[in-house]
Amino acid sequence: MDQASMESVDRNINPRVFFPAAGLVLALIVLGVTLTDRFGAAVDDVQRFIVAQFGWVYTGIVALLLVFVVALVLKPEFRNIRLGPPESRPEYTFTSWFAMLFSAGMGIGLLFYSVAEPVLHYLEPPRAEPETTAATTEALRTTYFHWGLHPWAIYIVVSLSLAFFAYRHGLPLSLRSAFYPLIGKRVDGAFGDTIDTLALVGTLFGVATSLGLGVMQVNAGLSSIGLLDESAVNQIVLITIIMAMATVSLLLGLDNGIRVLSRLNLFVGLALLLFVLAVGPTAMILSAFLEGIGDYASNLIVLSLRTDAFHGVDWQSQWTLFYWGWWISWCPFVGMFIARVSYGRTIGEFVLGVLLVPTLFTMFWLTTFGVSALDLEISDGTLAATIGENVPAALFEMLDALPLALITIPLATAVIVGYFVTSADSGALVMNILASGGHPNPPLFQKLFWSLLTAVTAGVLLVAGGLQALQTATLLTAFPLAIVLGLMAWSLWVALRADALDATGIGALPTSRWDRLIEQWRGSETDASHPSSGPTAASGTNTGQTADPTGARTTGAHAGGKR
């Protein structure tokens, strides 16, 4: 590599984030490989301690984040703030936008659990008598709870913070930027490095968890049609092949790779959904959907604050806390990705679009597949045995009981592969941005490095303990990020209030201070030869001054978008 190339790479890497994050992940991988049993036992002990002593932290913070995002929509002075200059407009059509955020946000996990979870809750409900009508209702309600409003509220806090500070105020597209209203230019020091390192490690383990689940299900699908036996070795081979596909997609870029695949995933997934709806118990599915939404809404407060203080935390740790940890570990990845494709939208449009549309679609998907599975289990009791032995095979067992299984099983496997690829390439994209200080176009070798490290991590977790190891890793990496999320929401509120006060003409003092803080950081970045990679669509002030929009589109995190 020549001197010019070396200097280019150096400018696009933040060594204070890249090397600590890579070193920590590699150290954990080495321990997992060389001391599998002892390391696994130690991690389990730590996980049990966190769940027993701090499980309520996950519950409380996730509930507060949902209240926070609803409050954003209810305040008129916040709703109309645009994620960019006042004249900015969205880059992507609604269909492309929704397809990308859904593929990144749910994808693999929804296919993995949409059949298994309702049946498992029916067989072992948290409150009702097993295998009763009450258990059926509780199964659907609990599944809605885990996949409904709360995960999207988590994603909104991160994605809105990133988009607001990057597109409206020209700060780098990095998690540290979200804390600037609280601590000023100190975000460019050890605190900011720690935040980005935690986000990078959490993202890697969150994506690795999803890839582990996805490859287990791909293997189960290929096994069900007689193409490949289920084994750890075959799963490692599948990870290698699919991660190679994801790397190609990543190198093609956001518009030519991720956007195209996301739209394809959405339409093929819709075809599978409509097929199951048509050939399954259609009337029961539609009735359960309406009833389930009402039941979920009427129990939302109780569900949100439930900690099982007097029932023990075993069920919570296996289900709710695992999900909250999963969503939290994914939030830097999904949040940054959603921010990157949401330039120009108003806060009201953004929050309602991200909170309600994916939630309703997810609930309909869960109802269609979950009720079909419950109907099959109630009628002949065949699914329970399969799920008890092999959760990834549950989807294919249900499809095998429906017509045209020779078509739908390969189709479902293809959808899982598609979501696998989009999750992996968009996750690697976000890790690259975090490791490069917010630079939207990090060097090629870095893209390859994080893709490879994610694949290796997923493989090690699978070999070390399969599904249980994936769940444990998710809970552990999410705990510090849960605290970060609470602080991030507070910081965003402070900044939004300053912008809103400035718009009404009554907030000159706090807004001018906010402007000075941003300008100070920009100056310190320039002096330190640490270029800001955030969009320059806004000047960093609230007075309506704007930079060259052409330059913003080529240097900002939203560059390259298509209307």
Side-chain angles (χ1 to χ4, degrees):
M1 184 180 290
D2 58 28
Q3 183 65 28
S5 299
M6 287 290 291
E7 291 176 357
S8 175
V9 168
D10 289 343
R11 285 198 300 270
N12 291 340
I13 288 180
N14 183 351
R16 298 171 302 178
V17 173
F18 182 98
F19 292 110
L24 178 59
V25 173
L26 288 170
L28 292 174
I29 289 174
V30 170
L31 287 172
V33 171
T34 59
L35 301 173
T36 304
D37 293 337
R38 292 171 60 187
F39 181 66
V43 169
D44 287 342
D45 289 341
V46 174
Q47 186 252 2
R48 280 192 291 270
F49 175 78
I50 289 176
V51 167
Q53 301 301 322
F54 300 105
W56 60 272
V57 174
Y58 288 96
T59 301
I61 287 179
V62 171
L64 287 173
L65 294 180
L66 179 57
V67 173
F68 173 78
V69 299
V70 172
L72 294 179
V73 177
L74 294 179
K75 288 184 72 68
E77 60 269 35
F78 291 174
R79 276 202 305 268
N80 296 323
I81 294 176
R82 198 168 285 278
L83 300 176
E87 71 278 5
S88 61
R89 293 297 180 269
E91 295 181 291
Y92 294 99
T93 64
F94 182 81
T95 301
S96 293
W97 184 55
F98 170 68
M100 286 190 286
L101 68 91
F102 183 79
S103 292
M106 290 295 170
I108 291 176
L110 194 58
L111 284 157
F112 191 92
Y113 282 110
S114 59
V115 170
E117 182 170 354
V119 174
L120 287 170
H121 292 327
Y122 169 73
L123 297 172
E124 296 181 7
R127 293 289 190 276
E129 288 293 322
E131 302 183 52
T132 61
T133 301
T136 306
T137 301
E138 187 169 30
L140 200 58
R141 179 201 310 147
T142 304
T143 306
Y144 278 2
F145 172 53
H146 291 151
W147 293 86
L149 296 171
H150 292 80
W152 292 104
I154 294 170
Y155 296 158
I156 286 172
V157 170
V158 179
S159 55
L160 184 58
S161 296
L162 292 169
F164 175 80
F165 290 110
Y167 301 153
R168 193 167 180 85
H169 292 288
L171 304 185
L173 191 68
S174 183
L175 263 70
R176 70 177 68 206
S177 299
F179 298 92
Y180 201 74
L182 299 183
I183 63 173
K185 63 183 180 181
R186 282 174 292 178
V187 297
D188 209 26
F191 178 85
D193 295 334
T194 301
I195 293 295
D196 283 350
T197 300
L198 286 175
L200 180 50
V201 173
T203 296
L204 190 143
F205 277 98
V207 174
T209 297
S210 295
L211 299 188
L213 297 177
V215 81
M216 289 164 69
Q217 198 166 34
V218 170
N219 196 180
L222 295 174
S223 175
S224 67
I225 55 178
L227 291 181
L228 191 67
D229 292 337
E230 289 189 69
S231 70
V233 172
N234 286 337
Q235 288 166 10
I236 299 300
V237 172
L238 287 172
I239 286 178
T240 304
I241 294 172
I242 301 176
M243 282 301 295
M245 296 167 59
T247 302
V248 172
S249 173
L250 177 65
L251 297 177
L252 288 173
L254 182 61
D255 290 314
N256 295 323
I258 298 172
R259 183 179 68 90
V260 173
L261 277 175
S262 296
R263 289 176 67 95
L264 181 62
N265 289 344
L266 182 63
F267 292 131
V268 176
L270 277 173
L272 184 63
L273 174 70
L274 293 175
F275 172 79
V276 176
L277 176 64
V279 303
T282 307
M284 183 186 296
I285 290 170
L286 297 176
S287 297
F289 179 60
L290 291 179
E291 182 178 312
I293 289 177
D295 184 53
Y296 169 67
S298 63
N299 288 279
L300 186 59
I301 295 177
V302 173
L303 291 169
S304 299
L305 300 178
R306 178 174 290 166
T307 61
D308 280 349
F310 304 109
H311 290 80
V313 296
D314 288 345
W315 187 91
Q316 283 275 332
S317 66
Q318 293 173 9
W319 287 106
T320 303
L321 295 183
F322 161 65
Y323 275 118
W324 289 178
W326 195 7
W327 307 139
I328 290 169
S329 68
W330 262 49
C331 71
F333 149 46
V334 179
M336 185 173 289
F337 185 79
I338 293 175
R340 199 177 190 278
V341 299
S342 299
Y343 171 79
R345 299 191 182 274
T346 65
I347 287 179
E349 177 187 12
F350 177 89
V351 172
L352 290 176
V354 177
L355 187 65
L356 297 183
V357 176
T359 295
L360 289 173
F361 183 83
T362 298
M363 287 180 172
F364 190 69
W365 181 290
L366 290 167
T367 307
T368 302
F369 284 83
V371 170
S372 298
L374 287 169
D375 182 60
L376 181 62
E377 171 61 24
I378 292 169
S379 62
D380 62 17
T382 57
L383 268 180
T386 299
I387 293 173
E389 295 177 0
N390 189 358
V391 173
L395 172 64
F396 305 108
E397 180 77 16
M398 188 202 73
L399 292 175
D400 191 51
L402 300 176
L404 303 178
L406 290 178
I407 297 175
T408 57
I409 290 178
L411 183 65
T413 306
V415 173
I416 296 165
V417 171
Y419 280 127
F420 192 136
V421 172
T422 52
S423 294
D425 58 11
S426 51
L429 173 67
V430 168
M431 285 183 269
N432 292 328
I433 293 173
L434 286 169
S436 61
H439 197 287
N441 296 302
L444 173 61
F445 93 91
Q446 186 170 298
K447 295 179 181 180
L448 297 174
F449 174 81
W450 291 110
S451 295
L452 177 62
L453 191 59
T454 302
V456 172
T457 303
V460 169
L461 288 173
L462 280 173
V463 173
L467 186 59
Q468 183 60 44
L470 295 171
Q471 292 176 333
T472 301
T474 299
L475 272 173
L476 292 182
T477 57
F479 182 68
L481 283 174
I483 309 300
V484 169
L485 281 173
L487 294 173
M488 185 178 291
W490 177 26
S491 183
L492 178 60
W493 187 272
V494 170
L496 288 173
R497 184 172 179 272
D499 270 29
L501 288 173
D502 180 69
T504 62
I506 61 174
L509 182 60
T511 305
S512 61
R513 177 180 178 275
W514 161 236
D515 294 339
R516 288 198 305 272
L517 288 174
I518 292 180
E519 293 303 331
Q520 284 175 2
W521 191 22
R522 283 177 171 172
S524 67
E525 283 190 310
T526 302
D527 296 340
S529 299
H530 181 218
S532 170
S533 59
T536 55
S539 66
T541 71
N542 301 318
T543 59
Q545 294 178 302
T546 57
D548 176 14
T550 303
R553 295 180 68 82
T554 56
T555 61
H558 58 284
K562 294 182 180 179
R563 305 267 332 240

